[in-house]
Amino acid sequence: MTKKIVVVGSTNVDKVLNVDKYALPGETLAINTYQQSHGGGKGANQAIAAARSGAETTFITKLGNDEDAKMMIAGFKQDKMNVDHLITTQDHETGKAYITVDKTGQNSIYVYGGANMAMTPEDVEAHRDAIANADRIIAQLEIPIPAIIAAFKIAKANGVQTILNPAPARQLPEELLQLTDIITPNETESQTLTGIEVKDEVSMLDNAMIFFEKGIKMVIITVGDKGSFYATPTEHDFIPAFKVKAVDTTAAGDTFIGALASQLAIDNSNIKEAMLYANHASSLTVQVAGAQNSIPTEAEIRNVIKQDSISKEEIEKEKQQAAEFAAQQIPNHITLGLGSGTTSAYFVKAIQKRIVNEKLDIQCVATSLGTQKLAESLHMNMLDVNTIDEVDITVDGADSVDDKLNGIKGGGAALLFEKLVAKMSKKNIWIVDSTKYHKTLEGRQMPVEVIPFGGMGVFRYLRDNGYHPAFRFEDNGDILETDSGNYLINITIPKHADLKDLAKNLKNQTGVVEHGLFLNVCDELIIGGDQIKTIKREDLATK
Ligand SMILES: Nc1ncnc2c1ncn2[C@@H]1O[C@H](COP(=O)(O)OP(=O)(O)OP(=O)(O)O)[C@@H](O)[C@H]1O
Ligand SMILES: [K+]
């Protein structure tokens, strides 16, 4: 549904001088091109980004009565923004940024706040209705704080969601933070407000915790070409930036915020999808020089999302390749463990074909109810786990595997049975696509299965020991239950964690049924691709 967004913030006109080199104090230099004027200002950029992504966007900004204002208003109209709530003053000029760019691309910027810095609470209050009728309001820090507070108070009184982009970096009054629902700093801005350096996912979550304490409900930290992170008190995730050739990152952050606000459901339920959309949007912005001209439209963004889904198809293909390769390796007359998850499902289908075509005598055990069902529907010869002592080979997927063949499993909520069957197996083969293979497991999430009664005790232990726990929920908001009726808590593997100690400590917690660390389990890893890659434990040992 189309979102009604109000942006209250700055408009700047960027005056760009292209120079060979900077003039020294007292020096006079000729310049190559005469000054060019481009639209800018964080408020205007974010409003344009939201409007180009299809949001019904109203911009509240203060302009001078001058040519620059006329140029900007014409642009706003072109982007189909609502310009009924622009504020004009006779006393100040439209904000400007004087930017010199030298031959190496280095720039220096002087900002004249002008009309932006003259925005008052009264200016904002005169547009109360526009704010009260919106779904959400976005503000940045290029206008005076009292004006933002006035806007957010109106929003709060009318059930309108407030998004604060705390840029440029500065300290903020508690009052403003308490009026904020979603905060969207970049790494430096976040550190300025929390005092905690942003260096990895774990520290991002530490930053988020500080904001949660102030009553903020969602934290989004953007970290340039690394990507972006979001956290609510119940879930968090890091979304890597797309690998693109960046030529000018101006307006990347603004595009991200405007695009996100245009897509995010009012109850924030589609946050991951909205983050991906914003990620795609800003990856387009950085590939074009300039600010407002580089902000993409919804159609352009949807187009790259479509291309990305083609690469998702690639990943599916890799899973299938790994699964089919593994199926070819399986000898006759064995008991075979069947793993869980999408990659394992490809394997189940591939081995079933061989069993039928080659009339193989293979009996199977499943590691989850889902796999059991699939195998039964394919009329495979299934054994009950409780009637056997040993499995010859188990083939299973994994969520992440490191270069020592340690892995995390259980993302599909079947970790207890997967581990039971793995322990009974003489040989464990894991099949993955190439995105699952990493140098280390640090910073990755892993599930811990806990009994429902007493789960909170484990949760507290995990929280107090820096594992950043979060219960897993179903898409419909119900707490997720495993096949054996337990709950799952996701934790983040800390930096420099000793995995053996971690596994031992988790097992020792009363209430923990099992955890997703599979150390020394995988004997052979098969990574899909046009060139299949296999890594065997016996080869690691001799290295
Ligand atoms: N080089 C890049 N390649 C791909 N995506 C990028 C790159 N730089 C930024 N992005 C995308 O843009 C988002 C926002 O970037 P960033 O964290 O730099 O914001 P910012 O510091 O507010 O930027 P700015 O102030 O320059 O607008 C990132 O989370 C990422 O999705
Ligand atoms: K740009």
Side-chain angles (χ1 to χ4, degrees):
M1 219 186 66
T2 308
K3 301 289 170 315
K4 277 196 229 160
I5 296 179
V6 167
V7 177
V8 54
S10 58
T11 299
N12 279 329
V13 175
D14 295 344
K15 308 281 180 184
V16 184
L17 291 182
N18 292 297
V19 299
D20 274 343
K21 68 178 196 87
Y22 289 113
L24 297 170
E27 189 180 16
T28 304
L29 289 176
I31 54 173
N32 303 332
T33 48
Y34 184 59
Q35 117 179 351
Q36 298 163 317
S37 292
H38 302 297
K42 289 181 191 296
N45 291 349
Q46 291 176 21
I48 289 170
R52 288 189 191 161
S53 271
E56 221 176 89
T57 308
T58 300
F59 189 26
I60 301 180
T61 190
K62 197 162 185 173
L63 304 165
N65 186 9
D66 47 30
E67 287 304 310
D68 282 342
K70 276 188 205 142
M71 176 188 94
M72 294 302 294
I73 295 168
F76 298 158
K77 284 183 181 159
Q78 242 174 26
D79 278 315
K80 302 195 177 60
M81 277 158 57
N82 178 355
V83 293
D84 295 344
H85 300 276
L86 303 175
I87 304 160
T88 304
T89 171
Q90 307 294 333
D91 303 333
H92 303 271
E93 283 182 47
T94 301
K96 292 175 220 320
Y98 293 94
I99 306 174
T100 37
V101 186
D102 75 6
K103 269 198 158 159
T104 69
Q106 187 68 283
N107 62 26
S108 72
I109 305 177
Y110 302 90
V111 176
Y112 160 73
N116 293 316
M117 290 315 291
M119 175 119 63
T120 62
E122 293 73 34
D123 285 333
V124 171
E125 275 149 18
H127 299 276
R128 171 178 293 273
D129 287 353
I131 298 174
N133 286 322
D135 293 318
R136 53 172 56 108
I137 181 169
I138 314 174
Q140 323 72 28
L141 306 180
E142 287 182 337
I143 57 171
I145 304 273
I148 303 173
I149 290 179
F152 277 18
K153 275 188 178 158
I154 298 169
K156 283 303 218 181
N158 291 280
V160 176
Q161 186 184 61
T162 57
I163 302 183
L164 182 66
N165 172 225
R170 55 167 290 181
Q171 296 296 332
L172 289 175
E174 283 296 310
E175 184 183 13
L176 179 55
L177 293 172
Q178 278 162 11
L179 290 165
T180 300
D181 293 321
I182 302 181
I183 195 160
T184 63
N186 68 13
E187 50 200 319
T188 11
E189 289 146 12
S190 192
Q191 185 177 342
T192 301
L193 292 170
T194 64
I196 300 173
E197 189 187 347
V198 174
K199 39 184 205 286
D200 50 32
E201 202 173 324
V202 174
S203 60
M204 288 178 206
L205 201 53
D206 290 335
N207 270 262
M209 296 294 170
I210 305 260
F211 291 120
F212 294 152
E213 278 163 23
K214 298 187 190 297
I216 290 173
K217 298 178 191 74
M218 187 189 287
V219 179
I220 293 166
I221 304 176
T222 61
V223 281
D225 62 0
K226 291 197 204 68
S228 47
F229 169 86
Y230 76 88
T232 69
T234 54
E235 64 170 298
H236 61 94
D237 206 351
F238 185 82
I239 290 147
F242 294 105
K243 299 242 171 309
V244 295
K245 195 166 177 297
V247 296
D248 176 1
T249 63
T250 309
D254 294 334
T255 301
F256 190 95
I257 291 156
L260 181 90
S262 75
Q263 304 298 310
L264 187 62
I266 289 305
D267 62 1
N268 302 334
S269 54
N270 65 341
I271 174 65
K272 189 139 187 190
E273 193 189 317
M275 291 284 287
L276 276 170
Y277 179 93
N279 209 353
H280 275 297
S282 48
S283 78
L284 287 172
T285 299
V286 301
Q287 294 177 68
V288 179
Q292 287 173 1
N293 62 298
S294 68
I295 298 172
T297 61
E298 180 164 18
E300 290 165 333
I301 299 163
R302 297 267 174 231
N303 197 22
V304 288
I305 291 177
K306 204 163 122 206
Q307 285 164 12
D308 185 50
S309 74
I310 295 172
S311 59
K312 289 223 176 69
E313 276 168 32
E314 283 294 313
I315 292 175
E316 285 307 302
K317 197 171 127 201
E318 287 187 5
K319 290 179 178 180
Q320 205 168 347
Q321 286 165 328
E324 279 166 7
F325 184 86
Q328 288 307 318
Q329 316 301 308
I330 303 301
N332 201 356
H333 309 294
I334 66 160
T335 304
L336 178 63
L338 303 176
S340 306
T342 52
T343 316
S344 294
Y346 287 123
F347 173 78
V348 173
K349 287 174 196 155
I351 192 67
Q352 187 262 354
K353 250 194 212 141
R354 271 199 66 205
I355 292 173
V356 171
N357 291 344
E358 300 172 33
K359 303 198 170 49
L360 302 181
D361 158 39
I362 292 179
Q363 317 190 70
C364 301
V365 284
T367 54
S368 68
L369 297 179
T371 302
Q372 179 79 23
K373 266 197 198 144
L374 171 65
E376 280 171 2
S377 76
L378 296 170
H379 309 292
M380 294 171 77
N381 186 0
M382 300 305 290
L383 296 173
D384 182 342
V385 159
N386 295 312
T387 64
I388 52 170
D389 305 322
E390 208 173 56
V391 174
D392 295 298
I393 301 177
T394 294
V395 179
D396 203 347
D399 303 339
S400 310
V401 191
D402 72 9
D403 59 5
K404 298 185 186 62
L405 299 191
N406 289 322
I408 299 174
K409 287 165 54 56
L415 74 104
L416 175 58
F417 290 131
E418 284 179 333
K419 206 172 252 186
L420 280 173
V421 175
K423 288 265 159 79
M424 295 165 73
S425 297
K426 287 190 268 182
K427 180 174 184 181
N428 281 285
I429 299 175
W430 285 0
I431 48 177
V432 296
D433 65 78
S434 54
T435 64
K436 306 274 170 62
Y437 181 63
H438 310 281
K439 234 189 127 32
T440 123
L441 300 179
E442 285 173 11
R444 309 222 156 256
Q445 292 203 351
M446 102 170 182
V448 178
E449 184 163 344
V450 298
I451 52 168
F453 181 80
M456 273 322 288
V458 179
F459 187 90
R460 261 183 242 116
Y461 164 82
L462 294 169
R463 188 194 56 201
D464 296 344
N465 285 279
Y467 294 119
H468 301 297
F471 275 104
R472 280 267 298 275
F473 291 87
E474 305 264 16
D475 288 340
N476 67 7
D478 291 347
I479 193 156
L480 184 142
E481 278 187 30
T482 66
D483 284 351
S484 18
N486 295 317
Y487 293 166
L488 284 182
I489 298 175
N490 271 354
I491 66 167
T492 304
I493 298 195
K495 277 242 162 241
H496 311 301
D498 181 324
L499 297 179
K500 250 197 205 150
D501 279 355
L502 176 60
K504 206 168 79 194
N505 290 344
L506 288 173
K507 272 305 260 203
N508 282 343
Q509 286 306 309
T510 314
V512 168
V513 180
E514 207 27 275
H515 57 76
L517 264 180
F518 282 59
L519 307 180
N520 288 314
V521 171
C522 172
D523 299 297
E524 181 176 339
L525 177 69
I526 299 174
I527 307 169
D530 289 335
Q531 285 297 47
I532 297 276
K533 197 174 159 192
T534 57
I535 303 173
K536 294 184 180 170
R537 183 166 296 278
E538 62 210 40
D539 297 338
L540 289 185
T542 59
K543 260 189 199 161

